[in-house]
Structure formats: C-alpha cells, structure tokens
Amino acid sequence: MEIPGKIKDLVFQLANDSSIMEIWLIGSRASGNTHAASDWDLLVFSTSEPQATTSRVEGIDVLWKGPSGNVLLEGQPTSFQFEFSDFNWLAVDEGQATYRGRKLNEVPEGIRDASILLHSFIEGKAVCLWQRH
C-alpha cells in the first residue's frame, strides 16, 4: 500500500508527541475497499485522555484512544466520546489487527428523524504505521 506524503508527515508529527504509543491505519484504506471519496482514518493510542481539538488535515480522520478507554475523533466535542470496547479490537500480530467499529451514518442536513440511526457497525482491518519502542 502506498502511503501519501501528507499521511507520513502527520504520522511523523504525531510520533513526536511523547504521550503517543501507537498509530494505526484503520477504515477502508487499511481494509482495501476504498472508493474515489475515501478518506484516511488513523487510530492513535495515547497515554493521555482525548481532548476536544480541531481537525488537523482535511481528508484525514484522527481518532484518539486514552488510557480510560475513551475514544474521540479530532474536530468533535467531548460529548461525542465513545468507549474503545465498542471496537472489539483483536490484535492479529504486532502489525495487524481486526475490529468491529462504529461508522457515523450520513444524515441529510436539516433532517431530524428519531428513526434514523446515527451510526452503524463495520468489520475492518487495521495496519500499524508506528509504535513507540
């Protein structure tokens, strides 16, 4: 898999944060089922709890997992945190994992219908891009 420069740059930037232990590629890019509009999804394992921050790079979603098990997507308020246990993370080996993760469903703007599910679950693969040793 070819990793673009903007992903490599972000991984390098994140790796310089001493609280970060691992950076994983998840989503369609890791699972190999991309389409024209596919973004890049990174899962960051940190020794610090996730904080509400702005998104870093357009087209790259960064999920932060803290020691308590809380997960938060950059660009979202802390009220959007969820539990890492929702992922059903299973390490295959040091560089690969499988998971069952949440995917936010797209809801047309202005539509408020309680019958519309805000998220669904997907099966995915993960590839480790960086680990602190």
Side-chain angles (χ1 to χ4, degrees):
M1 163 188 347
E2 183 67 28
I3 305 290
K6 71 179 184 175
I7 303 298
K8 291 178 183 176
D9 292 346
L10 180 55
V11 168
F12 180 77
Q13 176 189 357
L14 292 167
N16 283 315
D17 179 334
S18 63
S19 73
I20 295 177
M21 305 310 293
E22 298 178 0
I23 304 168
W24 289 77
L25 177 65
I26 62 173
S28 62
R29 299 284 179 174
S31 296
N33 53 356
T34 60
H35 53 79
S38 292
D39 63 357
W40 292 81
D41 301 294
L42 301 180
L43 175 60
V44 174
F45 289 85
S46 176
T47 59
S48 299
E49 289 302 324
Q51 302 294 316
T53 61
T54 58
S55 298
R56 293 170 194 256
V57 182
E58 188 174 329
I60 305 174
D61 289 336
V62 181
L63 288 162
W64 288 80
K65 188 256 181 206
S68 69
N70 289 331
V71 178
L72 182 63
L73 174 64
E74 284 186 352
Q76 297 296 321
T78 54
S79 60
F80 278 57
Q81 288 187 69
F82 59 93
E83 292 293 319
F84 184 68
S85 59
D86 289 346
F87 269 87
N88 295 312
W89 187 265
L90 178 63
V92 175
D93 58 37
E94 190 173 299
Q96 296 180 45
T98 61
Y99 66 92
R100 180 177 184 251
R102 288 183 185 216
K103 178 181 179 186
L104 291 175
N105 295 329
E106 292 188 31
V107 178
E109 191 173 328
I111 301 297
R112 296 187 188 273
D113 182 344
S115 68
I116 296 176
L117 294 175
L118 296 179
H119 71 270
S120 55
F121 288 96
I122 58 167
E123 302 289 328
K125 295 180 183 177
V127 177
C128 187
L129 297 179
W130 182 86
Q131 286 182 320
R132 186 170 305 283
H133 293 283

